[in-house]
Amino acid sequence: MDFKIRPARKEDCKDVSRMIMDLAVFENVADQVKISHEELERDGFCQNPLFECLIAEVPEEHKSKDGFTVVGYALYFYTYSTWKGRSVYLEDLYVMPEFRGNGIGKGLLSKVAEIGKEKQCVRLQLSVLDWNTVAREFYATRGALDLTETEGRHLLRFEQLNMDKLAKGASKERSFD
Amino acid sequence: MDFSIRAANVEDCKDIARMITELAEYEKVTDQVKITQRDLEQDGFSKNPFFHGIIAEVPEQHKSKEGDGKTPTRYSTRQMQVFGCETAVASDKKWLYLCFLGKGIGKALMSKVAQLGLAAGCHQLNFTVLDWNKSSVDFYLHQGCTDVTTDMGYHYMSCKGEAMEHLAQP
């Protein structure tokens, strides 16, 4: 199947938002999605964007049953390791189910790695749910190591409410800056 | 104990590089540290920095026993990220000299990162910790975070070196 991978444009954000929701529904966390295409437009297409995004597109004659030609995306951003330096973090990789098995996921992943390499990144990192065996195998067969299994690395998170509480502690400290 | 928290500047990179090495020694992975003071200067203090840093500093009279004449500092690195469909802050590393533990400095650094993140519109603070590092795990859980690996089953994956080279080929 013919497909093209290209950088997302601002006008793609509605399609990206649609697919973010599809992915969240699949992961059973649809209620956790708080942002819409407007936040994506603001945060991804400003002077100092917080993320970059690639789109997978098919020609009109191969559009989805609902009429979409934008059928996959990869959303990523740059992070930093104090040991290794520049890294790229793959936040989301998604291909609409009816378009899987055509190399689109691999195409998106490779392009993120290529872009990361151009920016001198030495690592590509991501997280995956333990029950998502298809995704785990997809990444493992392409050389990703599971650091949770091999070195006991755990992902910790402060959600909004606890982040607020943590931040309130800052104003009580004796500090100047 | 009196201490202050401030934004790191380019002159702090020498101290930061030193403490990165010390943290790696503690985590038994010294051979994995590939970046230098110069990398930190270039990557943290250019036009589009890859990270930001904050420093905790004590006055001269409380300096550490290492006696190199410099006021010892702690640091934490953070970056702005989009995570889980929400703007988030991720913190990479935090390191404390043993003689300065128990003074509220770690908590102050974390609080400052959270404050800076919220001011920039972030809704989450994410980071990783090694499960055998009990004192760190306890510290963070006590501050109110959740272990997303234990609670939701998220595994942290990394592709590097040859694997990343191979992946980057079309």
Side-chain angles (χ1 to χ4, degrees):
Chain A
M1 177 187 281
D2 222 358
F3 64 89
K4 186 171 81 166
I5 291 179
R6 60 165 176 82
R9 297 184 285 261
K10 201 169 175 177
E11 44 277 17
D12 293 313
C13 289
K14 284 195 170 120
D15 274 306
V16 175
S17 186
R18 165 178 59 83
M19 291 185 286
I20 285 171
M21 188 52 85
D22 287 348
L23 179 52
V25 165
F26 167 72
E27 292 186 350
N28 303 313
V29 287
D31 58 322
Q32 290 195 34
V33 178
K34 304 296 182 200
I35 66 168
S36 70
H37 67 92
E38 288 172 356
E39 283 84 359
L40 294 174
E41 286 162 9
R42 179 196 66 195
D43 296 334
F45 298 89
C46 52
Q47 192 166 11
N48 294 310
L50 291 171
F51 66 85
E52 292 179 5
C53 189
L54 297 170
I55 289 290
E57 206 167 27
V58 296
E60 187 68 26
E61 59 268 25
H62 291 306
K63 68 187 179 197
S64 76
K65 54 186 190 308
D66 294 321
F68 301 118
T69 55
V70 174
V71 302
Y73 75 99
L75 191 145
Y76 60 95
F77 42 82
Y78 302 102
T79 67
Y80 204 74
S81 157
T82 46
W83 295 347
K84 303 282 197 273
R86 300 178 184 188
S87 303
V88 58
Y89 189 88
L90 178 61
E91 170 68 9
D92 280 1
L93 174 66
Y94 177 78
V95 177
M96 290 170 67
E98 67 191 271
F99 293 92
R100 291 178 193 169
N102 291 299
I104 299 177
K106 167 68 166 60
L108 284 164
L109 183 59
S110 288
K111 194 68 190 171
V112 174
E114 187 190 311
I115 291 169
K117 274 205 64 197
E118 279 165 15
K119 284 256 181 15
Q120 297 157 61
C121 295
V122 296
R123 298 191 310 199
L124 187 155
Q125 298 186 295
L126 55 117
S127 41
V128 67
L129 288 160
D130 57 0
W131 55 256
N132 194 349
T133 44
V134 170
R136 287 179 77 179
E137 204 174 299
F138 173 80
Y139 294 116
T141 53
R142 284 163 181 87
L145 300 170
D146 186 331
L147 299 185
T148 297
E149 282 195 357
T150 56
E151 60 181 51
R153 202 160 277 283
H154 280 227
L155 203 51
L156 301 189
R157 176 179 297 165
F158 284 93
E159 300 279 7
Q160 179 90 59
L161 193 60
N162 287 315
M163 195 174 164
D164 281 341
K165 282 185 192 164
L166 188 62
K168 282 187 171 70
S171 49
K172 289 185 197 147
E173 301 294 341
R174 282 161 298 180
S175 68
F176 52 87
D177 51 359
Chain B
M1 175 187 282
D2 225 357
F3 64 88
S4 66
I5 309 271
R6 60 167 176 81
N9 55 49
V10 69
E11 290 81 42
D12 292 315
C13 289
K14 194 164 174 214
D15 275 312
I16 294 172
R18 172 173 54 84
M19 289 187 288
I20 287 170
T21 305
E22 288 166 10
L23 176 53
E25 279 167 11
Y26 171 73
E27 291 189 353
K28 307 180 191 22
V29 285
T30 320
D31 56 321
Q32 292 198 36
V33 178
K34 305 294 181 204
I35 65 165
T36 64
Q37 174 187 334
R38 182 118 183 83
D39 293 321
L40 293 173
E41 288 165 358
Q42 277 176 346
D43 293 338
F45 299 92
S46 57
K47 195 172 164 212
N48 294 308
F50 272 75
F51 68 85
H52 303 281
I54 56 173
I55 291 287
E57 217 168 13
V58 296
E60 187 66 25
Q61 64 266 29
H62 291 308
K63 70 183 181 204
S64 77
K65 293 188 178 69
E66 274 67 27
D68 60 359
K70 285 188 181 248
T71 309
T73 54
R74 299 187 205 171
Y75 75 95
S76 122
T77 59
R78 69 146 176 95
Q79 313 102 18
M80 301 296 298
Q81 294 187 6
V82 173
F83 192 94
C85 304
E86 297 169 299
T87 313
V89 176
S91 178
D92 187 46
K93 297 281 193 318
K94 187 162 69 69
W95 175 238
L96 311 174
Y97 278 106
L98 288 173
C99 58
F100 295 95
L101 293 178
K103 306 281 186 266
I105 301 179
K107 166 80 166 35
L109 283 166
M110 287 296 293
S111 292
K112 192 66 187 175
V113 172
Q115 193 187 66
L116 291 167
L118 286 169
C122 296
H123 302 289
Q124 283 185 355
L125 167 55
N126 297 293
F127 52 101
T128 64
V129 70
L130 292 164
D131 61 0
W132 58 257
N133 191 348
K134 197 163 183 324
S135 60
S136 286
V137 174
D138 287 347
F139 170 79
Y140 293 124
L141 293 177
H142 185 69
Q143 300 305 322
C145 70
T146 46
D147 184 331
V148 168
T149 293
T150 304
D151 293 355
M152 294 179 69
Y154 275 106
H155 282 227
Y156 198 67
M157 317 226 2
S158 179
C159 198
K160 54 191 176 187
E162 263 182 46
M164 191 173 168
E165 298 275 338
H166 187 69
L167 199 55
Q169 274 144 42

